Amino acid sequence: MLVVLCAGMFLVLLDVTVVNVALPGIGRALGTGLPGLQGVVDGYAVAVAGLLLGGGAIGDRIGHRRLVLIGFTLFAVASLACGLAPGATALVAARVVQGAGAALLLPGSMAMITTWYPGRAEQARALGTWAAVSSTALPAGPVLGGLVVDGVGWRWLFLLNVPLAGLAAVLVAVLVREPAGQRTAAPLDLPGLVLAPVALGAGVWTAICAGHGQVRGAVAAAVTAVLAGVALTAVERRATAPLLPRDLLARPDARRANTVCLIMNLVTNGTLFVVTLLLQQVHGYSARTAGLMLLPLALPLVLLAPVSGRLTARYGPGPVVTAGIGCAVAGALGLLAAGSGGGYPLLLPALVGLGVGDGLLTTAAVSVAMGDAPADRKGVAGGANNTARQAGTALGVALYGAISGPAAPAAAFLTRVHVLAWVGTALWLTALGVWTVVGRRHTEG
């Protein structure tokens, strides 16, 4: 059961990054510009972020095994639609549905693992296996994506998901049993389930439209985001069983940890989006080569996760988070060397700094977000942290793509990449400020 659930999670998380190296090819094949390419990435990320908490809540009511089966089926059907998409609009719509399937799988698989491994030691080993398999999706994404794109074309990035997700669904149906007495009778927060993705999606689309001079679209999206946000706030205050309980939101450690995680994913995935365009469309590298060149950013996430865990256990999360942000700031400033004549070698320190910073930050920040929650709210705390991270991914691609603009002409693009070095630095320093100030107030209180 653990192998099946981990394999399914790897497949879902792989689709967050595997598409990046295919973006130039998708743009040429479907005749779409940068806003369309941002939609291909953000359609998936927004759906995952907006529906993640709702997916967990639905699973608590209908059973997580059933929810995982529905998620795999939806993911497979949407992947087929992605692979056959005749245009950019159809591809973005299919990516949204694909993200919805992923949002059902993420909380469902975690809930089943923690249920079937109830002992502290065996649960720690099971979750460690799940985390290790999941974390390899980021470095594997660009590499596998490059191999597939250069080998058989970008459509197969999605078409290969169909038999794999179908097989995973069959194995879940055969091997995984639904535990008895695990469902709740609490009412489902349907208005919150609808309003959360609308507010997030409209906010992301505001940044995309504004960055490309689409004033009417930006205004309409901004109005929608504000109205949906206000309605969501009002609904959640009155809800009997809100998607995110108010007492959890009020916890200082959860607030600062989730803010750091949101900014981390925002800067990392925004940088990944822009650097992919830089490597392929400015420097002319193939998708396969570009994927390999991104490994210095992705591998430290896998290699440093256990190191960060040991450092956090020994020294506490504060020094580890501070060190991680320091490395990430150095990485963000490293983008100032992009395009200065040295090619990829001068870009390498930026990728390494960002990867090392993320590798140190992830375990430390997540441990704070989870450790601050009561024992009966760990699932909700994990969902809130994952929501913050996926929201950061969506906002990062929107913001960085809006600032960078298209890769041609190259000189103007490189100038804007240098601007992003300072944007990333400012965001990291904001994360450090939130972490320090909220933590100090919490200690003093």
Side-chain angles (χ1 to χ4, degrees):
M1 290 188 294
L2 182 61
V3 170
V4 171
L5 293 175
C6 287
M9 288 308 306
F10 176 84
L11 183 66
V12 167
L13 294 174
L14 187 72
D15 264 60
V16 176
T17 59
V18 74
V19 75
N20 279 280
V21 293
L23 293 175
I26 292 174
R28 290 190 298 269
L30 301 183
T32 186
L34 190 61
L37 299 182
Q38 289 174 280
V40 171
V41 179
D42 272 348
Y44 188 84
V46 167
V48 174
L51 296 172
L52 196 58
L53 288 173
I58 294 172
D60 287 340
R61 287 153 180 81
I62 70 171
H64 289 289
R65 176 181 176 274
R66 181 182 299 176
L67 191 72
V68 167
L69 286 171
I70 295 172
F72 271 127
T73 303
L74 194 61
F75 188 83
V77 171
S79 295
L80 178 63
C82 288
L84 301 178
T89 301
L91 178 57
V92 172
R95 285 281 284 173
V96 171
V97 179
Q98 195 184 34
L104 301 182
L105 287 167
L106 277 162
S109 66
M110 178 69 81
M112 284 196 291
I113 289 173
T114 55
T115 299
W116 284 112
Y117 296 90
R120 178 177 298 180
E122 63 177 357
Q123 187 175 103
R125 288 194 296 270
L127 291 176
T129 301
W130 182 88
V133 172
S134 300
S135 64
T136 59
L138 179 59
V143 176
L144 293 177
L147 291 172
V148 172
V149 170
D150 283 354
V152 291
W154 65 267
R155 291 185 182 275
W156 284 96
L157 290 176
F158 305 110
L159 294 176
L160 288 173
N161 285 336
V162 179
L164 295 174
L167 177 61
V170 171
L171 292 175
V172 168
V174 172
L175 297 177
V176 179
R177 303 182 308 278
E178 183 74 58
Q182 294 295 314
R183 302 182 189 181
T184 179
L188 186 63
D189 181 17
L190 286 175
L193 188 63
V194 173
L195 290 169
V198 171
L200 177 60
V204 169
W205 194 246
T206 299
I208 292 175
C209 290
H212 300 287
Q214 300 172 6
V215 178
R216 290 184 179 178
V219 171
V223 170
T224 302
V226 170
L227 292 177
V230 170
L232 177 62
T233 302
V235 164
E236 291 301 284
R237 286 177 176 173
R238 295 194 301 268
T240 304
L243 288 180
L244 191 59
R246 291 179 290 276
D247 60 335
L248 191 62
L249 282 175
R251 295 180 177 273
D253 276 352
R255 289 206 307 270
R256 64 174 180 157
N258 290 337
T259 299
V260 168
C261 287
L262 185 149
I263 291 176
M264 177 183 68
N265 272 41
L266 190 159
V267 177
T268 300
N269 287 283
T271 301
L272 184 64
F273 180 84
V274 171
V275 168
T276 300
L277 299 179
L278 174 67
L279 292 174
Q280 292 185 252
Q281 296 188 342
V282 175
H283 294 307
Y285 293 110
S286 67
R288 181 185 308 171
T289 302
L292 291 170
M293 287 177 167
L294 292 172
L295 281 177
L297 186 155
L299 279 178
L301 282 170
V302 180
L303 299 177
L304 290 179
V307 176
S308 176
R310 289 194 293 270
L311 291 174
T312 301
R314 182 170 182 179
Y315 300 107
V320 181
V321 169
T322 302
I325 291 178
C327 293
V329 167
L333 290 173
L335 285 179
L336 292 172
S340 59
Y344 178 70
L346 288 182
L347 185 62
L348 190 58
L351 300 178
V352 173
L354 188 56
V356 170
D358 285 358
L360 292 173
L361 275 171
T362 301
T363 303
V366 170
S367 69
V368 172
M370 297 297 291
D372 189 49
D376 61 346
R377 298 289 180 88
K378 296 294 185 183
V380 178
N385 183 259
N386 276 307
T387 298
R389 292 165 67 180
Q390 293 301 323
T393 295
L395 293 169
V397 172
L399 177 64
Y400 272 58
I403 293 174
S404 73
F413 178 75
L414 289 169
T415 298
R416 292 189 289 267
V417 169
H418 296 164
V419 172
L420 287 172
W422 297 110
V423 171
T425 300
L427 287 168
W428 282 121
L429 293 177
T430 299
L432 180 61
V434 170
W435 177 270
T436 304
V437 172
V438 174
R440 184 181 297 122
R441 289 177 179 173
H442 182 35
T443 302
E444 292 173 353

